[in-house]
Amino acid sequence: MKRILYIALSSVMMMILLFACSTSRITSSWTPADITPRQFSKIMVLGLTGSSERDFRQKMEQHIVDDLQTRGFKAVSAFATYGPKEFEGSDEKTSLEKLKADGVEAVLTVVLLDKERERYYVPSRVRYSPYIIYQNRFWGYYRTIYDRVYTPGYYTSTTKYFWETNLYDLSDMSLIYSTQTESFDPESSERLGHEYGKLIINDLASKNVLKPAN
């Protein structure tokens, strides 16, 4: 019985560690019902994050570009190509002509929809053992509950980012892919860009949206 319980607890802890390693997850994803793999000679990755998140934007664009290129797609970063204010003051016709003149056939937008900061209380000592382990003995139960009730904890803050990524075919301006994503308290913009890029490219691949150019 103890061995079975140990194995079960080990499995739970492994699952906790597995999910703790990733800070981003897809909450919804969409493609047209009649989607067929599209082939583009060049895809531009364009981030819209606001001036205060410029570092996030630059790293996010570059990571997605790198991941696309690894899969055989030709991709470029809007930030690296045009700078942080690529289309400011420009109208639709001029902007599209600029993109097409540079050989861009599709645009993958990455938009920071919202950013939330939360403050919550963390007990200083938390036990994840099921009640059955200590509840059948008075002292085990007493000490566990005592620690939870009387040991002081602390307050900490977490940050959540809410993203939306769309892929547009510039030949007819159609939306061929859209996804919404949450990123939870990333340790750095570098890690966020790396995780998000892989998450989006893997989802695009699983839905068979893109086909590498010959």
Side-chain angles (χ1 to χ4, degrees):
M1 179 66 184
K2 288 183 178 180
R3 178 175 174 78
I4 294 174
L5 186 57
Y6 173 78
I7 293 173
L9 289 173
S10 297
S11 299
V12 170
M13 291 306 297
M14 285 297 293
M15 290 298 293
I16 291 172
L17 290 172
L18 177 64
F19 285 105
C21 291
S22 177
T23 63
S24 299
R25 70 182 185 93
I26 290 175
T27 56
S28 66
S29 185
W30 172 90
T31 55
D34 58 347
I35 187 70
T36 56
R38 307 290 179 95
Q39 191 176 75
F40 301 110
S41 62
K42 186 187 289 186
I43 301 170
M44 175 162 283
V45 181
L46 171 63
L48 296 168
T49 59
S51 57
S52 63
E53 306 293 343
R54 184 174 294 178
D55 187 50
F56 270 7
R57 175 197 167 178
Q58 188 174 9
K59 287 182 170 61
M60 187 83 70
E61 284 188 7
Q62 193 56 54
H63 276 292
I64 295 175
V65 166
D66 292 342
D67 289 329
L68 282 167
Q69 290 177 347
T70 298
R71 300 239 181 180
F73 304 104
K74 185 174 181 181
V76 294
S77 159
F79 190 99
T81 304
Y82 301 128
K85 298 182 178 180
E86 57 287 311
F87 303 117
E88 185 173 327
S90 180
D91 58 26
E92 180 181 7
K93 182 174 182 295
T94 303
S95 298
L96 292 175
E97 286 177 350
K98 185 177 184 179
L99 288 169
K100 290 179 179 179
D102 289 334
V104 177
E105 294 186 348
V107 175
L108 185 72
T109 60
V110 183
V111 180
L112 180 59
L113 295 176
D114 196 12
K115 179 179 177 181
E116 292 181 356
R117 191 164 182 82
E118 298 178 347
R119 188 169 182 261
Y120 63 95
Y121 183 77
V122 178
S124 64
R125 201 177 284 184
V126 179
R127 295 175 186 248
Y128 293 101
S129 303
Y131 280 111
I132 191 172
I133 293 178
Y134 59 82
Q135 196 170 12
N136 61 346
R137 288 183 175 274
F138 160 70
W139 192 249
Y141 177 78
Y142 171 79
R143 286 308 312 173
T144 300
I145 298 302
Y146 184 94
D147 286 347
R148 289 185 181 181
V149 172
Y150 292 103
T151 304
Y154 61 92
Y155 283 92
T156 187
S157 296
T158 61
T159 305
K160 284 185 180 180
Y161 297 85
F162 300 90
W163 305 90
E164 182 172 75
T165 296
N166 293 339
L167 179 63
Y168 294 93
D169 184 342
L170 294 188
S171 67
D172 58 5
M173 304 300 152
S174 62
L175 175 65
I176 60 174
Y177 171 81
S178 181
T179 186
Q180 287 74 46
T181 309
E182 275 185 1
S183 296
F184 178 79
D185 210 25
E187 64 183 27
S188 67
S189 57
E190 187 70 31
R191 176 172 175 177
L192 176 57
H194 177 69
E195 284 190 356
Y196 193 88
K198 287 194 174 298
L199 193 67
I200 296 302
I201 302 310
N202 287 340
D203 194 50
L204 279 166
S206 70
K207 290 180 168 52
N208 208 24
V209 176
L210 297 174
K211 180 180 179 181
N214 296 326

